[in-house]
Every structure is written in structure tokens, then in C-alpha cells.
Amino acid sequence: MSESTSSAEVDPTASRVVSMLRGFVTGILGLAYAFLIWNATFYLIEMAQAGISGYGWTVLLMPVIVPMIVFVVALLMTRRRPLGVFIVAMLAGLGLSAVFWLDTLSFALRNGASLLG
């Protein structure tokens, strides 16, 4: 009798644990992405009270939208990958989104007058 198992004979308990772990990691990293989105939205609202131009809206709205897109793309790209690949891709996307937010914040602080209407 052979010791090898086919893909149909996967242990349902192990599959459930991996699925739960993937959901937990998605939730934790989703909160990190949400924190970036919250910070960018808060800064956009604060700047909007000062009266920003159309250019300012475009520049300050991008850090709100980009993390959402990066999260969805990373989630879709690693949907059927192992958990380690999933975590690395999500962390890479989080790093990319954080750098984008910091670059935008730096630009807004240095060139604030160009964003105001």
C-alpha cells in the first residue's frame, strides 16, 4: 500500500486551520492597510478645510485610493498561493502603500501652497 496521498485526500482539519490562519492574517494586515487609508483621509479632510484646489484634491486623494487597490491586487494575486507567499506579498504591498503615503505627505508639507486654491 502506498503512503502517497492524492489532492482529494487532504486532511479537512489542516485545511480548516490554514484557512482560519489566512483569514486572521488578512484581517490583521487589512487593519494595517485601513490605518494608512484612515491617516490619508484625515489629512485630506484637514487640508480640505483650508480650501484645496483640484490639483490638491488629486494629489491628496491618491493615498486614499492606492492602498485599496494594492490590497485587492495582492489579495487576488496570492489567492491560491501558500500562506508564506501570501504574507510576503501583503507586507510588500503594505510597504509600497506606506512609502507612497509618506512621499505624498512630504510633497504636501514642502509644497502646501501649490495644493491650496
Side-chain angles (χ1 to χ4, degrees), residues 31-103:
L31 286 174
Y33 279 92
F35 180 72
L36 280 175
I37 294 167
W38 177 262
N39 280 327
T41 304
F42 179 77
Y43 190 73
L44 174 65
I45 291 169
E46 290 295 316
M47 290 293 288
Q49 291 175 356
I52 55 178
S53 65
Y55 174 67
W57 277 103
T58 303
V59 168
L60 295 176
L61 197 59
M62 289 302 291
V64 175
I65 297 170
V66 168
M68 294 178 205
I69 294 170
V70 170
F71 180 78
V72 170
V73 167
L75 200 61
L76 291 176
M77 283 179 45
T78 59
R79 183 175 44 194
R80 299 185 190 268
R81 304 278 183 190
L83 187 61
V85 173
F86 172 71
I87 292 172
V88 168
M90 293 295 279
L91 287 174
L94 184 63
L96 177 74
S97 298
V99 167
F100 185 75
W101 162 238
L102 289 174
D103 285 345

